Amino acid sequence: MSFDLILFGGTGDLVWRKLMPALFQAFRHGSLPKDGRIVGVARDDLSDGQYRALIKSRFDAVELAKRPSEEEFSRFADLLFYLRMDLSNAGDYARLGAKLKEHNADTVVMYLATAPALFTVFCEQIAAAGLASPQMRVVLEKPLGHDLQSNRAINESVRKVFSERQIFRIDHYLGKPSVQNLFALRFGNALFEPLWRRETIANIQITIAEELGIEKRGAFYDSTGALRDMVQNHALQLLCAIGMEPPINAHADAIRDEKLKVLRSLKAWTPETLRQHVIRGQYSAGNVDGAPAAAYRQEAGVDAASKTETFVALRTEIANWRWAGVPFYIRTGKRLADRAAYIEVNFRPAPHAIFKSPLGAANRLVIHLQPKDGLELHLLAQGQDNRRTSQTLSPVQLDLDFDKRFGSERVGAYERLLLDVIDGRLNLFVRSDEQEEAWRWVEPIMDSWKNDAEGPRQYAAGTWGPSASSAMIARDGFCWTEEC
C-alpha cells in the first residue's frame, strides 16, 4: 500500500520529539508500509536535503536505544521530503496538490501538528483547492478547542470536508501499551470481570503526576491549565476504559459507544460537589530532586498574578447499575513529588475476617502506565516469621513488568497510532460525541472557577499537591497511595 503522510508543523517540537522517532521505530520494525513518503510542511525555506539534515540532528536528543545508526538513517531519509507552505495562504495549496500528484498514493494522511486555530483554515482551504478525497485522512492533535462551544465549532468545520471515518482525533494515552493491556485485562480474561463492580470494589484512583514544571510552554500552559490539558482528555479516557461495559466486539464504534455511555453517566456537578469534590492547586517555590524549583508564577511566559491551575484533584461517580456508589478519584499535576501515571483499583476487605491482618489491608490492583509499564496485584498471605502465629497475614504482591516480559516487541504510543491512521483503524481515536460529552462535563468546573476570587491553592514544588486533596479523599475514609 502506498501512502503520503503530510506533517503540518513539520519543524515543530511534536514532530521531531515524538512523531519522527515513532515513524523511525516503525521503519526499523518493518511495520511501515514500503511505498510511502513522509512530507514535512512548515514556513521555513528548506530543501529536502536540509530538512533531512535537520531531522537527523534532532535524533541526537532521542533516547539512545531509539536513535538510528548512520546506515539506518540513510535508508529512512529516503522517505523524507519537505514542502514550504503557509496554511493561511490559498496559493500554497496548489503546491500541495502538485506534491500529492507526484506520488498519487493510495492513502493520504494530513497530520495537523499545529495550533488548533488553524484546523478550520486548513479544512476550508483544502475544500476550496479541491484536494479533499475519499482516500484522505486528517489527524487532529489536542487541544481540540478550549470549551464545548469551540470544540463543536472545530468539529463542524472539519465535518464539512471530511466524514467521521476520515477524522482521527488523537489522544496518545490511548496508544500506550499499558492502556491496551487494560482493555486486554478486562475483556480478554475471565478472571477480573466478575469482580469489576460495586459489590467488590471500594474505590478507583487515577493518578497522572509529573515532576517537571511547564518547561518552555509558559504562554500555552497559562491559557490552558491542568483541567483542559490533562483531565478533559487523558484522565477521562482512562476513566472510560476502567468503567465501560464490555463492547459487543472490537470494532471502533462498539468501543466508542461504550465509552460514551460512561461519560453520559458521570454524576452532574452541583454547587456543593464543586466546592467539596474539586481541588485546584498551583505550585509555589520548592525543591525537586534536591534542586530548587521556581514557583509557577515565576516561570517564563506566565502572568505574575496567574490563577491558572497546575494541579487538579476531583471525586466523581458513574451513576449506573455496575458502579453506583463507588467513588472515582482523579488527580494530575505539575511539579509533584514523582513522575508516575497509574490506575489503582482498591477492593473491599474480606466480608468476615478470620485472620489477623494489617489495619486497613485489602486487595489492590495497580495498573502502571508510566514510567513503569505493568501490573501489580496486592494480596494477603501467611508469612514464615516464627514470631507470628499462623493466624496472621502479611501483604505480598505479584508484579508483572511488561517491558521485561515483552522487551523489544513493545510498540510505543505514537508508533501504534500512526500505523493505525495509515491503515484506517479508528479504535484508538476519539469520536466527536465523546469529546463533546467530556467538555460538557468539565464546563461547570471551569465556570465555577471563573467566579472564585480565591484562585488555586498553593503547594510547594516537589510535594503531592495541596493538603485539601488529601482531605477530600479522607472524607470517604480512603487515602492516596503514598499516604496509606
Side-chain angles (χ1 to χ4, degrees):
M1 179 190 73
S2 62
F3 73 91
D4 276 343
L5 174 55
I6 315 298
L7 299 175
F8 295 93
T11 57
D13 281 0
L14 180 65
V15 168
W16 69 260
R17 286 176 58 245
K18 298 291 186 181
L19 303 185
M20 281 297 181
L23 289 165
F24 170 70
Q25 290 304 311
F27 174 79
R28 174 185 270 177
H29 295 153
S31 50
L32 197 65
K34 300 293 183 185
D35 187 12
R37 296 190 309 176
I38 302 166
V39 182
V41 174
R43 293 184 177 187
D44 308 77
D45 192 6
L46 301 173
S47 65
D48 290 342
Q50 288 172 321
Y51 185 63
R52 290 164 184 158
L54 173 66
I55 296 302
K56 183 180 180 182
S57 69
R58 297 299 194 186
F59 270 107
D60 291 340
V62 175
E63 60 182 280
L64 187 60
K66 295 184 178 181
R67 292 181 200 170
S69 65
E70 288 288 336
E71 186 273 335
E72 283 178 319
F73 187 81
S74 177
R75 291 188 289 114
F76 179 65
D78 289 341
L79 305 178
L80 302 183
F81 299 88
Y82 183 78
L83 178 66
R84 185 188 61 78
M85 186 175 172
D86 180 350
L87 289 187
S88 60
N89 186 343
D92 284 356
Y93 286 82
R95 299 173 60 242
L96 174 61
K99 192 75 173 177
L100 296 176
K101 285 182 181 178
E102 290 175 3
H103 195 208
N104 196 27
D106 298 324
T107 298
V108 176
V109 176
M110 302 286 190
Y111 197 119
L112 298 182
T114 65
L118 292 173
F119 293 173
T120 298
V121 173
F122 165 81
C123 291
E124 291 172 349
Q125 296 289 2
I126 281 286
L131 295 180
S133 65
Q135 67 265 32
M136 186 175 288
R137 293 161 192 157
V138 60
V139 183
L140 305 178
E141 266 286 349
K142 79 173 187 76
L144 213 64
H146 59 273
D147 56 17
L148 179 59
Q149 182 178 354
S150 59
N151 175 259
R152 280 177 170 165
I154 291 172
N155 279 325
E156 286 172 6
S157 66
V158 177
R159 277 196 297 259
K160 288 178 181 177
V161 182
F162 301 100
S163 67
E164 187 66 32
R165 66 176 181 81
Q166 294 176 281
I167 305 170
F168 291 72
R169 300 171 188 84
I170 197 166
D171 184 329
H172 74 270
Y173 261 67
L174 293 179
K176 287 181 177 292
S178 45
V179 178
Q180 297 310 296
N181 274 305
L182 172 56
F183 286 105
L185 173 80
R186 288 203 56 198
F187 306 130
N189 297 280
L191 178 63
F192 289 106
E193 189 58 29
L195 307 176
W196 218 256
R197 57 192 65 250
R198 66 188 185 281
E199 291 87 354
T200 49
I201 292 178
N203 70 85
I204 293 176
Q205 302 177 18
I206 298 171
T207 294
I208 307 174
E210 298 178 89
E211 281 184 308
L212 292 174
I214 57 171
E215 298 180 279
K216 297 178 181 179
R217 302 192 307 157
F220 163 78
Y221 199 89
D222 208 36
S223 63
T224 304
L227 185 71
R228 290 185 176 98
D229 191 41
M230 298 298 292
V231 176
Q232 183 273 334
N233 40 69
H234 301 326
L236 286 185
Q237 285 293 320
L238 294 176
L239 186 149
C240 287
I242 283 286
M244 65 189 277
E245 294 297 318
I248 58 172
N249 55 43
H251 294 160
D253 279 334
I255 294 170
R256 298 191 292 185
D257 285 346
E258 296 303 333
K259 288 196 294 175
L260 180 62
K261 289 178 186 176
V262 173
L263 293 168
R264 287 176 173 169
S265 300
L266 291 175
K267 271 197 170 180
W269 296 108
T270 67
E272 182 181 7
T273 57
L274 285 168
R275 284 193 304 272
Q276 293 187 353
H277 298 162
V278 182
I279 308 298
R280 64 168 168 162
Q282 184 187 92
Y283 64 82
S284 56
N287 193 288
V288 177
D289 286 338
Y296 173 74
R297 292 176 181 174
Q298 296 172 327
E299 301 274 18
V302 174
D303 186 339
S306 175
K307 291 185 177 181
T308 298
E309 78 286 354
T310 61
F311 174 93
V312 176
L314 60 83
R315 178 196 190 277
T316 187
E317 294 181 24
I318 301 174
N320 64 16
W321 192 278
R322 179 188 292 264
W323 294 114
V326 176
F328 285 72
Y329 304 101
I330 293 172
R331 65 172 172 172
T332 183
K334 299 280 191 184
R335 285 289 189 218
L336 297 181
D338 195 9
R339 174 179 178 260
Y342 56 89
I343 301 167
E344 185 173 289
V345 181
N346 292 295
F347 292 89
R348 298 185 186 279
H352 175 61
I354 62 173
F355 297 103
K356 295 179 181 178
S357 59
L359 183 66
N363 302 140
R364 289 186 295 138
L365 174 66
V366 183
I367 303 156
H368 290 282
L369 307 176
Q370 67 180 30
K372 182 179 178 180
D373 180 7
L375 301 173
E376 289 178 11
L377 182 58
H378 294 254
L379 306 169
L380 297 171
Q382 284 190 1
Q384 299 301 315
D385 191 337
N386 291 328
R387 293 171 298 175
R388 298 178 180 179
T389 70
S390 61
Q391 303 297 310
T392 301
L393 301 183
S394 300
V396 296
Q397 70 182 59
L398 303 174
D399 191 346
L400 174 59
D401 188 321
F402 289 136
D403 284 327
K404 290 180 180 178
R405 169 61 183 85
F406 297 110
S408 60
E409 302 171 37
R410 313 252 53 203
V411 176
Y414 272 106
E415 180 183 351
R416 179 185 296 276
L417 294 171
L418 285 164
L419 291 173
D420 279 359
V421 176
I422 293 170
D423 288 340
R425 292 191 295 267
L426 283 158
N427 299 48
L428 303 181
F429 296 85
V430 183
R431 205 167 57 192
S432 62
D433 50 4
E434 286 181 75
Q435 275 192 336
E436 290 183 12
E437 199 61 46
W439 277 116
R440 184 178 291 109
W441 187 72
V442 301
E443 271 207 331
I445 302 175
M446 296 189 294
D447 291 341
S448 72
W449 289 349
K450 290 176 186 175
N451 301 317
D452 179 12
E454 293 184 7
R457 302 166 190 263
Q458 298 294 301
Y459 64 95
T463 66
W464 279 104
S467 59
S469 168
S470 301
M472 176 192 71
I473 193 171
R475 283 196 291 268
D476 293 334
F478 304 123
C479 56
W480 297 111
T481 303
E482 72 279 356
E483 299 172 339
C484 292

